[in-house]
Amino acid sequence: MKKGKQPESGLRHILTHAHKDGMIAFMHDHPDTFGELVDLAVADEGKLSWRAVWLLWSCMEANDPRIRPFIPRFLELLPGGNESYQRDALMVLQRMERTEEQDGILYDICTRIWVKVNSIPSVRYNALRCMVSIARTFPELAAETISLAEPKYVNTLSPGVRHSVARILKEIS
């Protein structure tokens, strides 16, 4: 081991060397590492944090109390994260109950993600799903959300994703 370098934890090793099914099995066998997984997901460590948040949404419970204290940190990292991190962090945040203030911040971030037509469709779609979910709670946002489904934003998506967008927008129409 090089001087000053920390030894790699079992979780870090799994995140960098295993496929997702191996990661999930590791988490099942080592539930005590869940806190470390959350810490890595919000650590801003590039690919390692992305893989941690990717695994996190597969291992968490809906409205998981172990994640609740980290919602502000997810919201802080979300705008600057790479698109894969954004997609998976949105999937975590969709499964959490948030405060009204957190919903406002999340809605604004999601709007900025949605209008970036050159972003990967999966991150844009998850951003729109969050916006629709928030608009269900705050109906005054429904018209704004629906208005963001103009052709310049939707036509860059595949036919399947466009169909899914139309379907979820019906939930708030």
Side-chain angles (χ1 to χ4, degrees), residues 50-140:
W50 162 64
R51 288 181 66 92
V53 76
W54 180 60
L55 178 58
L56 183 61
W57 66 259
S58 298
C59 297
M60 66 182 279
E61 301 168 7
N63 200 32
D64 198 311
R66 300 168 295 180
I67 297 171
R68 190 173 300 116
F70 297 93
I71 292 173
R73 180 69 175 147
F74 277 113
L75 293 172
E76 180 183 320
L77 290 171
L78 196 54
N82 72 46
E83 292 176 345
S84 296
Y85 182 89
Q86 288 176 329
R87 176 195 57 227
D88 296 320
L90 288 171
M91 292 175 77
V92 167
L93 291 169
Q94 286 176 59
R95 300 189 66 202
M96 297 299 297
E97 290 178 14
R98 300 166 305 273
T99 66
E100 186 174 332
E101 180 182 353
Q102 290 168 339
D103 273 347
I105 293 167
L106 182 58
Y107 188 89
D108 289 342
I109 293 168
C110 288
T111 301
R112 284 180 288 199
I113 292 170
W114 171 252
V115 299
K116 290 182 183 175
V117 295
N118 293 325
S119 292
I120 58 174
S122 60
V123 72
R124 295 183 63 226
Y125 176 72
N126 276 290
L128 185 66
R129 283 185 54 195
C130 281
M131 293 165 59
V132 167
S133 173
I134 293 167
R136 272 193 233 110
T137 304
F138 303 99
E140 62 273 16

